[in-house]
Amino acid sequence: MSFAKGHGTENDFLIIDASVDPTPEQLRALCDRRAGLGADGVLRVVDDNGQWFMDYRNADGSLAEMCGNGVRVFAHWLRSRGLVDSDEFTVGTRAGGRKVTVREYNDTDAVVTVDMGPAEVTGLSTARLGELHVAGLGVDLGNPHLACVLPGLDPDSLAGLELREPEFDRKFFPGGVNVEILTPLQDGAVHMRVHERGVGETRSCGTGTVAAARAALADAGHTDGEVTVHIPGGTVTVTIAGATSTLTGPSRIIATGQVSTPDPAAGPPAGQPATLP
């Protein structure tokens, strides 16, 4: 099958056609970073009665409602490959339609703004990541988040934390949760790391940056505002305004190629060398 690989602030994805529908086992094999192509998830490009739908799967093969970085890469792919003829259009997701604006693009690079919808606060909760005990704000962006502002945390201390698989309140988050650890808001910016359900720690999480912005603003006594969010994979801009939020950041398509549909029982998938588009 044909594939492309792209990333949004180093949150990386495989892009595949709707004619292929891998099983969870095949998805895990494709996303394996040693035996497969390696990715945080898979974006399956589906034409749903005239609207493009992002059928997003996590690296563990599970379905996901929404991915802000994935939507940027998905929109970049559609626009740069001529599947849409406008810079503004709607991408369908399991969390509902997301309006996107492709601000600039070529075959390999783009800047995309995504309307992320409401960043709904669901309450307060706690989590434990190894020796790290945290409390934070539950935020729903179509997928669940626990965004934790740690008082006195600075970027260097954040980088030195060990983020293990989180233990959390399963009654509060019955479907699992993405946990964001972030510094307090300073000069309109925060630094963040994230442990994503079904994946582990990633270099970035689009919905997680919005959840982090919501929590950072609340911690600083604000409801709305613009926040620059620094993640290990780069920098994005989040705007919280009333009942909606937007995420603006880069997308990069790094390779296209061919790979055989993996048979997990037969060992690693056999692939052909990827080629730069």
Side-chain angles (χ1 to χ4, degrees):
M1 67 179 183
S2 297
F3 75 91
K5 185 169 182 179
H7 71 86
T9 51
E10 298 183 7
N11 191 190
D12 60 340
F13 311 95
L14 303 177
I15 306 166
I16 63 174
D17 188 80
S19 62
V20 183
D21 191 4
T23 66
E25 293 77 16
Q26 290 172 329
L27 287 164
R28 288 194 289 271
L30 285 168
C31 292
D32 189 285
R33 294 195 180 276
R34 287 186 171 85
L37 295 169
D40 292 326
V42 172
L43 310 176
R44 188 165 166 264
V45 183
V46 178
D47 184 350
D48 183 19
N49 295 318
Q51 182 184 63
W52 291 107
F53 178 80
M54 185 182 76
D55 178 14
Y56 179 55
R57 320 284 181 91
N58 290 316
D60 69 351
S62 62
L63 300 178
E65 300 92 342
M66 173 58 184
C67 176
N69 291 326
V71 172
R72 293 205 313 278
V73 173
F74 193 86
H76 178 195
W77 180 259
L78 295 179
R79 187 69 179 101
S80 64
R81 270 58 185 180
L83 297 173
V84 296
D85 58 7
S86 171
D87 292 335
E88 297 184 3
F89 51 94
T90 298
V91 172
T93 77
R94 291 187 178 86
R98 292 292 184 262
K99 294 181 179 179
V100 299
T101 302
V102 180
R103 300 194 173 278
E104 55 186 78
Y105 74 94
N106 56 34
D107 280 353
T108 57
D109 293 276
V111 176
V112 181
T113 295
V114 183
D115 185 338
M116 301 291 285
E120 180 183 355
V121 175
T122 58
L124 301 174
S125 191
T126 60
R128 177 177 175 177
L129 300 89
E131 298 300 315
L132 181 65
H133 296 254
V134 294
L137 204 63
V139 183
D140 187 348
L141 280 143
N143 58 357
H145 296 266
L146 180 63
C148 308
V149 181
L150 272 56
L153 185 68
D154 60 36
D156 289 339
S157 299
L158 173 66
L161 293 177
E162 183 178 4
L163 300 189
R164 295 186 180 179
E165 185 74 26
E167 301 174 22
F168 55 90
D169 184 346
R170 293 190 177 275
K171 291 184 179 179
F172 197 92
F173 298 110
V177 66
N178 302 322
V179 179
E180 290 80 32
I181 310 297
L182 59 141
T183 61
L185 187 67
Q186 184 173 6
D187 298 326
V190 299
H191 289 74
M192 182 196 95
R193 288 173 62 190
V194 57
H195 192 289
E196 291 194 59
R197 59 175 183 166
V199 185
E201 185 175 1
T202 59
R203 301 283 293 170
S204 176
C205 171
T207 52
T209 61
V210 180
R214 170 63 86 193
L217 288 166
D219 180 68
H222 306 302
T223 301
D224 295 346
E226 182 176 286
V227 180
T228 300
V229 183
H230 301 288
I231 52 270
T235 299
V236 297
T237 301
V238 175
T239 302
I240 307 285
T244 194
S245 59
T246 60
L247 169 64
T248 300
S251 166
R252 190 143 203 271
I253 306 297
I254 62 170
T256 61
Q258 298 277 319
V259 64
S260 60
T261 305
D263 178 2
Q272 298 178 8
T275 58
L276 289 176

